[in-house]
Amino acid sequence: MIAIQPNLQPTLQPTWTPERVEQLKSYFAAGLSCRDIAVNIGVSRNAVIGKLSRLNLMRTTPEERRARRKKSAGRAAPVGTAKQQFRILQEAYEQVDEASIVTVNNCSLFELSEQRCRWPISTPGAEDFCFCGNTPLGGMPYCSGHYRLAYQVGSRQRAARG
């Protein structure tokens, strides 16, 4: 037969006793890091950070924090909105159309290599079908003009929204 013993509940100690709070304040005033304070008090680093925050104990004054924020905000490069960036890129790409690309080095499929633009001219199977053959951009399959045609900016939905 199994003997049933009464539930023995451990008594929970509060994490932040008045003694620990005083230790926290004295260690903080002494300039110890949150990690060192946590080790000395016997709590986690996050517990120390949270308690310091609730006690409004900070190492810098509000003026120093504002000055630091202003200094870091002043260094940030100005960034346009996504819509502005899209319009700028769209204008650059609109200047190029297939008629403006001069292809003087047309080549057949057998003459095609990594040193030649692989943009198809005409329709496959047609008599005049060939490839551009101009010098491609480094590591890319197309010359600069066909590259701009192949890699359009944004999606169709974004272009439709303008």
Side-chain angles (χ1 to χ4, degrees), residues 17-109:
T17 61
E19 297 82 29
R20 277 188 170 168
V21 173
E22 289 306 313
Q23 280 182 319
L24 171 74
K25 288 179 182 178
S26 65
Y27 288 146
F28 181 79
L32 268 69
S33 69
C34 291
R35 179 186 170 276
D36 294 335
I37 295 171
V39 169
N40 289 332
I41 294 178
V43 296
S44 70
R45 178 179 165 271
N46 285 343
V48 170
I49 292 169
K51 190 63 176 178
L52 288 173
S53 177
R54 288 188 295 279
L55 293 172
N56 289 323
L57 294 175
M58 309 211 177
R59 299 208 190 272
T60 59
T61 64
E63 292 81 25
E64 290 172 336
R65 285 191 297 277
R66 265 188 245 115
R68 188 180 307 152
R69 253 186 261 127
K70 283 182 184 177
K71 187 186 290 185
S72 66
R75 287 185 299 205
V79 178
T81 64
K83 202 170 208 176
Q84 290 170 335
Q85 291 173 350
F86 176 73
R87 283 193 184 123
I88 291 168
L89 289 172
Q90 192 174 27
E91 289 170 9
Y93 280 97
E94 285 175 355
Q95 296 171 358
V96 176
D97 60 346
E98 197 164 359
S100 68
I101 301 168
V102 179
T103 56
V104 293
N105 302 318
N106 292 348
C107 62
S108 70
L109 179 62

Side-chain angles (χ1 to χ4, degrees), residues 1-5:
M1 186 156 183
I2 300 174
I4 300 176
Q5 295 190 4

